[in-house]
Every structure is written in C-alpha cells, then in structure tokens.
Amino acid sequence: MKKRILVVDDEETLCEALKFNLEAEGYEADTAHSAEEALALDLTRYDLLLLDIMMGGISGTQMVGILKSNPATSRLPVIFCTARDSEDDMVAGLEAGADDYIMKPYSPRNVLARVRSVLRRADATAAGSPAPGQRTVRFEGLVMIPDSKECLVDGVPVKLPRKEFEILLRLMSNPGRIFSREQLLREVWPDEVVVVDRVVDVNITRIRHKIGRYGSHIITRSGYGYGFVE
C-alpha cells in the first residue's frame, strides 16, 4: 500500500512542487495551505506530514503541539520544512515533536531522502510496538514492557540484563523523582549481602549508552542520586 503524505505550507507553488515530486516517487500526496485547513482533515489517514513552521494563524509548531496532545495523531511523523535556519530554531522544532527538520531552500532529492528515512523509522517503531493491552512505560520512542521484560528504543529491541532493566524501569516509572544509590541498592539488589555504591554508577553508565539519544534523560543530582526527566 502506498504511503500517504500531507504537505502543509502557505506557499501554494511550493505545495504543488512537493506534491509532484512525492507522487513521482510513488507516494500519495495531498496539500493544505494552512494549519487550520490541515486540522480540518482526517489526519489519521496520513503516514507523514511535511509542515511549514511560519504560517499565518496557527503556526507549524503550534500544530505539532495539537497533534501530540491527541492520542489519535500523537505518533504521526512530522518533518518541518522552514526558512528559519538558526540552530535554536532547529532545536525548538525538534523539541516541539518534529521527527526531522529541513531548511529552505531545499532540493527535492533531499526532501525525498528525509521522507524515506522518517518513514523507515516509523515503520520500525510500529513493528516493535507491544501487543494490544500490554502494560508499558513509555517516553517518546523509549518503551519498557514489564511483563515480557523488553526494552524498545525507537522500535528496536535492546537487551538489558535484569539489574539494568529494573533500574531503568524504576526511573522511568517515576519521572522527576531522584533515587539515591542506597534506594536503588535496596530495591534492585535486595538479596545481595555486599554491593558497593559504585555498582549503581556502572549500571547507569551502561544504560545511558544502550538507550542512545534517550540517555540524556537520565540525570545525576550530585550528592543525591539519579532520576529520569521528560
């Protein structure tokens, strides 16, 4: 089945050019010339949005916020296409929830390459999704499945030994809470007679490495311990 993409930009000529190139690549493509027009559509029919940031009325960033707050569209991939080219703008766009960020002017070849990449990641995430009804602890693409003892990073299974799994599960289940080393030792190593504090530090380092870009969400509070922030 063809992937369906919606192009949202207030420049009609640009919309039509992107639509032409996407369809030539084998995608189905529609256009909308404002966020308001796009939000009036059934967005659950689409596999990806190409979205301008600077539009009259609702901005692209505001639209992403609306999408992420709705469970039906919260996982819809979004690529920002924008003339705002500073590093701060790029970071703000990605933090708003975009999956990628393309700066104008851009080539059709670049856009199509980014589209393929984001769609591949979305497919991998969907393929690695837990079974319906299975309890999960989730932050964006980082998913813990306590019943089956699985950890998924952007849809890709990551092997965590028991202690690492239990530490990460405790931290993610209590976002913002700081666990002291002593607490983690009591809860994760209850039966061991002698375990030094350094063991916790080593396991945290390993976890950060294994979960990739989400590792930065495990924070250290000097003199207190560790926590997970969203």
Side-chain angles (χ1 to χ4, degrees):
M1 182 181 296
K2 290 184 178 181
K3 296 291 187 181
R4 194 167 189 175
I5 298 171
L6 178 63
V7 181
V8 186
D9 198 304
D10 55 6
E11 296 183 46
E12 294 187 26
T13 303
L14 186 58
C15 277
E16 293 306 316
L18 284 173
K19 176 181 169 68
F20 174 83
N21 283 283
L22 289 166
E23 290 179 339
E25 191 72 8
Y27 300 109
E28 291 187 9
D30 296 322
T31 63
H33 301 136
S34 68
E36 290 85 349
E37 183 181 341
L39 290 168
L41 301 173
D42 179 6
L43 296 178
T44 61
R45 297 182 303 154
Y46 295 98
D47 298 289
L48 175 72
L49 262 59
L50 285 168
L51 179 61
D52 186 23
I53 290 182
M54 296 186 294
M55 296 182 287
I58 298 174
S59 70
T61 305
Q62 290 170 323
M63 181 175 171
V64 168
I66 294 170
L67 296 176
K68 298 302 177 184
S69 66
N70 182 348
T73 56
S74 62
R75 301 183 71 180
L76 178 61
V78 175
I79 298 177
F80 275 141
C81 300
T82 178
R84 301 180 68 169
D85 59 357
S86 75
E87 183 175 344
D88 287 344
D89 289 329
M90 182 180 298
V91 170
L94 294 173
E95 288 183 343
D99 296 86
D100 206 342
Y101 190 107
I102 308 174
M103 292 175 286
K104 298 177 181 177
Y106 43 72
S107 68
R109 183 179 177 184
N110 182 23
V111 173
L112 293 172
R114 302 292 187 93
V115 165
R116 286 192 295 269
S117 176
V118 170
L119 287 174
R120 277 198 303 269
R121 292 204 304 266
D123 286 343
T125 299
S129 295
Q134 200 167 29
R135 185 173 75 88
T136 64
V137 177
R138 178 189 301 271
F139 172 72
E140 298 181 356
L142 177 60
V143 182
M144 304 288 287
I145 311 173
D147 291 344
S148 58
K149 311 304 180 188
E150 293 179 273
C151 175
L152 305 174
V153 177
D154 294 330
V156 179
V158 173
K159 291 184 179 180
L160 295 180
R162 180 178 176 182
K163 302 302 185 185
E164 294 176 18
F165 185 92
E166 291 183 8
I167 290 172
L168 182 56
L169 182 60
R170 277 167 173 76
L171 297 183
M172 288 185 63
S173 298
N174 299 273
R177 176 182 170 186
I178 301 299
F179 288 81
S180 69
R181 292 176 176 83
E182 292 75 19
Q183 284 177 294
L184 291 172
L185 287 172
R186 283 197 307 269
E187 294 179 19
V188 178
W189 284 269
D191 301 324
E192 275 78 348
V193 177
V194 179
V195 181
V196 296
D197 289 359
R198 178 63 180 161
V199 170
V200 176
D201 301 337
V202 170
N203 277 270
I204 290 289
T205 299
R206 290 174 178 165
I207 293 167
R208 282 175 172 151
H209 176 72
K210 289 179 180 179
I211 63 176
R213 64 192 181 98
Y214 301 106
S216 62
H217 292 273
I218 298 178
I219 60 168
T220 304
R221 288 283 184 262
S222 182
Y224 294 97
Y226 297 100
F228 189 94
V229 294
E230 298 182 344

